[in-house]
Amino acid sequence: MDINPAQPIIIELTEYENKLFPLDKIPYSAGVELYEKYKTQLDIDFPTYTTRQHWKLKAKGWVGYIPVTPELHLKINPKVPIQNLFGMLEYAYNLKGFRFLEGLMDCESLEDFYNNLAHILADKVLERCRKGLYRTYLPKTQQLSYVRGKLDMRQVIQKPWNVKLKCDYEEHTADIKENQILAWTLYIIGCSSLCSERISLTVRKAYHALQGLVTLQPCSAEDCIARQYNHLNPDYELLHNLCRFFLENSSPSHEKGNHKTLPFLVDMAHLYELFVSEWLKKNTPQGYFFKQQHPIEISQNRHFTIDILLCDADTGKTIAVLDTKYKAPEQAGYTDIYQMISYANTTKCKQAFLIYPKDLTQRLDIKSEQIQVRSLTFSLDDNLDRAGQTFLKNLFLLIC
């Protein structure tokens, strides 16, 4: 969890905007690194006559921080107002409503937000360590010199000369997935280049408090979802929601000897989908409910997932299918339209909506046989709750 003390050069982009950099601003090897590892996140043109011997970079719907090399880092700023980005993150990761998070809205950058959230997580882990980590009983089989739990009599009869006894027992331990998620997340944060020295000290302190009790095991964001909590560990739900935020947006990047730095990258399309789904779930009008990530199996080896279903609470029937699109084209793409018609047919409903963060230049409103496909806007430019209420009003005006 060592942190590189050298101050790197930082170049900045804004998502979906082209930007030119002088030839000497980005070392050629760093350009190759970006091209080979970050094709999904970036368009990169090498210096040529057509770029006037400049590097040309464009972020493709991702925001965050990439430590390209120890000497050069890339920062990608959101087009969304920074306060609304925080609001989206709060809804998407179920952090909305916690009073100690209110100060995050005063952050001026994504790095500030990362730092503050890392500090909250580390503080909460230290607090839990002081109270005692959550433990549970795990089944264990071991060769022992004494009897513990259930003795394997078959082995005793078959191998009476063996001085070690095979015993099946349960061990009360803190080395469980609930705590391994915490340790792995703190390790990931410690490997990043985003924390200040003050925050890094707290993160290291929390990480070391878990050492000796918890094995460092790789964990994923999926490990944080749908876990079971009880009266002994209700605070772990918040801890795991925080961990999910870090794990979902961090992945290994640059390695040099024993030093590893990790990028922090937020997929804005995925975040927009999570945000809209969670906002609708928390603001569902009476008489309806929303389903998220609804799986549809076409055959044994073919299936797809629908972002959101709007359903009638009394009958359970699907009223409309909704799909988020974090882009602002002039008009909806044919592929997206055909996809929505397929979704509506599969769920036996007549209404389908494509949801965009900005109004389309050419609003979508077409009918294919009995299925109506329209575009709607859930804006990210204004107050998010006000934008959500406007979206709901427009949605129900169309389906009623």
Side-chain angles (χ1 to χ4, degrees):
M1 297 182 65
D2 295 329
I3 296 177
N4 184 14
Q7 292 297 316
I9 296 172
I10 299 174
I11 59 175
E12 294 194 37
L13 296 176
T14 300
E15 58 171 333
Y16 288 124
E17 291 183 3
N18 288 310
K19 191 167 184 180
L20 296 173
F21 295 93
L23 179 66
D24 59 356
K25 188 72 173 181
I26 302 174
Y28 188 83
S29 58
V32 172
E33 179 93 2
L34 281 170
Y35 181 78
E36 290 183 347
K37 291 189 176 181
Y38 297 99
K39 292 178 184 176
T40 302
Q41 293 84 10
L42 291 169
D43 284 329
I44 176 167
D45 293 338
F46 284 67
T48 63
Y49 174 77
T50 57
T51 63
R52 294 177 294 167
Q53 300 303 322
H54 282 63
W55 294 92
K56 184 178 179 182
L57 274 63
K58 180 182 179 181
K60 300 190 292 187
W62 295 72
V63 303
Y65 203 84
I66 302 175
V68 190
T69 68
E71 296 78 27
L72 179 71
H73 292 186
L74 174 64
K75 177 184 175 184
I76 307 172
N77 297 311
K79 292 191 74 171
V80 175
I82 197 74
Q83 304 300 330
N84 281 357
L85 178 63
F86 299 156
M88 291 170 70
L89 290 166
E90 284 184 318
Y91 269 107
Y93 293 95
N94 292 305
L95 304 175
K96 193 75 176 174
F98 292 102
R99 295 185 64 183
F100 58 81
L101 292 172
E102 290 173 1
L104 293 177
M105 297 303 289
D106 296 327
C107 297
E108 297 181 356
S109 68
L110 197 56
E111 300 101 298
D112 288 344
F113 186 82
Y114 186 100
N115 260 273
N116 279 275
L117 216 53
H119 187 253
I120 289 168
L121 175 62
D123 250 5
K124 292 290 176 186
V125 170
L126 285 168
E127 182 183 318
R128 183 67 210 213
C129 287
R130 285 191 290 269
K131 292 192 299 184
L133 292 172
Y134 175 60
R135 294 169 179 262
T136 192
Y137 287 95
L138 293 181
K140 197 167 185 179
T141 300
Q142 197 171 6
Q143 300 283 346
L144 301 173
S145 57
Y146 55 91
V147 176
R148 182 177 180 184
K150 184 180 178 182
L151 182 63
D152 187 339
M153 292 303 298
R154 178 179 294 182
Q155 188 200 52
V156 173
I157 295 169
Q158 290 176 345
K159 300 179 180 179
W161 60 86
N162 194 342
V163 295
K164 293 285 188 180
L165 304 171
K166 184 180 179 184
C167 299
D168 297 315
Y169 62 95
E170 289 191 331
E171 183 179 44
H172 196 226
T173 178
D175 195 12
I176 54 178
K177 182 61 79 172
E178 281 79 1
N179 294 319
Q180 290 168 358
I181 290 170
L182 306 182
W184 182 252
T185 305
L186 291 169
Y187 172 77
I188 290 294
I189 294 170
C191 290
S192 77
S193 304
L194 285 175
C195 286
S196 67
E197 183 56 33
R198 181 178 68 86
I199 303 299
S200 294
L201 287 171
T202 307
V203 170
R204 283 199 292 269
K205 186 177 178 181
Y207 176 75
H208 290 311
L210 295 172
Q211 281 187 313
L213 298 170
V214 181
T215 306
L216 185 63
Q217 296 279 0
C219 296
S220 68
E222 287 71 28
D223 291 325
C224 305
I225 300 171
R227 302 204 69 82
Q228 298 298 311
Y229 304 99
N230 55 51
H231 69 284
L232 297 176
N233 67 345
D235 54 325
Y236 273 70
E237 184 172 6
L238 170 62
L239 293 176
H240 291 156
N241 285 340
L242 291 170
C243 289
R244 180 187 168 199
F245 167 77
F246 289 106
L247 296 177
E248 199 156 55
N249 301 302
S250 303
S251 58
S253 173
H254 178 75
E255 295 188 32
K256 185 176 183 180
N258 294 324
H259 178 75
K260 180 191 285 184
T261 55
L262 301 173
F264 172 69
L265 285 166
V266 178
D267 180 350
M268 292 298 291
H270 179 58
L271 177 61
Y272 185 58
E273 175 193 325
L274 285 177
F275 161 67
V276 172
S277 297
E278 288 297 328
W279 191 94
L280 291 175
K281 188 167 74 174
K282 289 178 173 59
N283 294 275
T284 307
Q286 190 172 2
Y288 302 91
F289 66 92
F290 287 98
K291 286 184 182 178
Q292 300 168 259
Q293 290 295 296
H294 182 67
I296 299 290
E297 189 168 333
I298 302 173
S299 63
Q300 189 174 1
N301 297 318
R302 293 185 62 198
H303 66 277
F304 56 83
T305 303
I306 303 175
D307 279 5
I308 307 166
L309 298 182
L310 172 62
C311 304
D312 185 281
D314 293 329
T315 64
K317 290 183 178 179
T318 300
I319 298 171
V321 292
L322 300 89
D323 202 44
T324 57
K325 300 294 176 186
Y326 184 76
K327 49 189 175 183
E330 290 192 358
Q331 59 185 16
Y334 289 117
T335 302
D336 293 337
I337 295 170
Y338 295 145
Q339 182 187 54
M340 296 309 291
I341 293 170
S342 173
Y343 286 174
N345 275 321
T346 304
T347 55
K348 297 180 173 57
C349 72
K350 305 300 182 185
Q351 304 278 351
F353 296 91
L354 287 165
I355 306 170
Y356 297 89
K358 290 183 179 294
D359 294 336
L360 297 183
T361 307
Q362 299 180 36
R363 190 168 61 89
L364 174 66
D365 189 350
I366 64 169
K367 194 167 188 177
S368 174
E369 296 182 356
Q370 298 300 312
I371 298 170
Q372 194 86 28
V373 186
R374 300 181 177 97
S375 60
L376 278 175
T377 304
F378 194 129
S379 176
L380 302 176
D381 295 332
D382 198 359
N383 176 280
L384 293 179
D385 288 319
R386 191 158 54 239
Q389 293 300 334
T390 300
F391 168 80
L392 277 181
K393 178 183 175 182
N394 292 334
L395 172 64
F396 282 96
L397 280 174
L398 293 172
I399 64 174
C400 293

